[in-house]
Amino acid sequence: MQLELSKPILAKLNEDFPKVKNVIVAHEIEDLMNYLIRILNIKVSNQEDQENLDFQMPVILDFIKSKFGLLTIPEIKEAFKMYVAKEFEDIKVFRMLDCIVVGEILTAFTNFRNDSLRVYDTKKQLLLAEVSQSTETEKKSIRNEFLGQIFDELNNRGYSDNIWQLWEKDFKTKELTEFANKVNATVTNLEKKAMYATEQEFYLNQIKSEMMTSRLQSAKWIVENANKQIRNKQKINSVVNRCRCLIGSKYLKNYLTDFEEFKNQIENDLD
């Protein structure tokens, strides 16, 4: 399953960040609302204008959370960038901010995103449906096929970019599998830090290159967010997964003479 690696930028904005209705950190919400004001260059010339704006913004925020709560903050920012850039042909650009304007912009963005990601979403839904509707026998067959794919990748090029999917029993609890614990034990903390630093630099260069070639202004935001995570000493999921693939590949390369032996290093943890 290669969804993570082939994920388009619009999908990253939707799937890799919390939905705005679930964001409770005050400064993140404040930053979003201030961003909307700044990008539209809305100015107040007197106290009355300021009071009207102060009254309007909580109403707009409530409207966004209740009617567009499944969008993420980066998506909302991207929507307004597209609006200002006149990329929504049916919407005239005005230097004003109210619920009607916000509704038009976010509806247009949602339609644009859905159209752009139609092929990606179809493939994803087919994969999810295949897994959820499978019988136990079919699930075992799918699992064997997945492990066989990793086995072949390791034999052909000594590396698999799917191994990170073997790392957690439950993505919600973040509980590690026995396989993950076993592999982690083969690498010292110092080696892990050095590997993460190297892969973080590689990731930054990659997304910066993507930013230079992408037509979406949000590609720049992804770079800014990565730099923000680094400043806040937060781990970047894509980098963590890349490191897991590296050490997992190194471990499993010792078990490539026999597929059953290879599976035994992993399989029991997936039952």
Side-chain angles (χ1 to χ4, degrees), residues 14-15 17-23 69-73 75:
N14 179 258
E15 297 175 6
F17 301 91
K19 308 305 180 188
V20 67
K21 69 176 183 179
N22 297 327
V23 175
L70 294 180
L71 293 177
T72 66
I73 287 178
E75 285 185 300

Side-chain angles (χ1 to χ4, degrees), residues 124-145:
K124 183 175 68 173
Q125 292 304 318
L126 286 173
L127 285 171
L128 292 175
E130 180 182 10
V131 173
S132 61
Q133 296 175 9
S134 298
T135 64
E136 285 303 313
T137 300
E138 289 171 334
K139 287 180 179 179
K140 287 183 179 180
S141 176
I142 293 170
R143 184 177 66 188
N144 279 338
E145 184 177 345

Side-chain angles (χ1 to χ4, degrees), residues 8 50 62 65 87 105 118 126 139 173 209 221 257:
Q50 184 64 58
D62 177 71
K65 285 199 168 190
E87 294 184 32
I105 294 170
R118 197 173 304 280
L126 286 173
K139 287 180 179 179
T173 64
S209 176
W221 194 91
T257 55

Side-chain angles (χ1 to χ4, degrees), residues 73-127:
I73 287 178
E75 285 185 300
I76 295 170
K77 289 183 176 181
E78 178 63 29
F80 274 81
K81 287 178 184 177
M82 294 177 68
Y83 170 67
V84 172
K86 300 181 180 180
E87 294 184 32
F88 301 130
E89 295 180 358
D90 297 332
I91 306 178
K92 292 184 179 180
V93 178
F94 296 103
R95 197 168 291 172
M96 61 179 293
L97 191 63
D98 59 23
C99 288
I100 295 175
V101 171
V102 170
E104 289 183 339
I105 294 170
L106 297 185
T107 297
F109 173 81
T110 301
N111 292 336
F112 168 79
R113 182 200 65 191
N114 292 346
D115 288 341
S116 300
L117 296 180
R118 197 173 304 280
V119 173
Y120 168 79
D121 286 337
T122 298
K123 289 181 179 178
K124 183 175 68 173
Q125 292 304 318
L126 286 173
L127 285 171

Side-chain angles (χ1 to χ4, degrees), residues 188-247:
T188 67
N189 288 335
L190 188 61
E191 289 171 329
K192 290 176 185 176
K193 289 180 180 178
M195 180 185 299
Y196 185 89
T198 299
E199 295 308 317
Q200 179 178 272
E201 182 178 0
F202 175 80
Y203 174 75
L204 282 175
N205 290 334
Q206 188 179 48
I207 60 176
K208 286 177 182 177
S209 176
E210 187 175 7
M211 177 185 71
M212 299 298 293
T213 58
S214 173
R215 63 179 288 272
L216 293 174
Q217 298 180 51
S218 52
K220 179 180 178 182
W221 194 91
I222 291 175
V223 175
E224 292 173 350
N225 185 64
N227 286 323
K228 178 182 177 182
Q229 287 181 277
I230 293 171
R231 287 195 302 271
N232 293 336
K233 298 182 179 180
Q234 297 174 333
K235 292 293 180 66
I236 301 172
N237 285 339
S238 295
V239 179
V240 171
N241 288 340
R242 165 71 176 173
C243 291
R244 289 173 171 177
C245 289
L246 285 171
I247 61 174

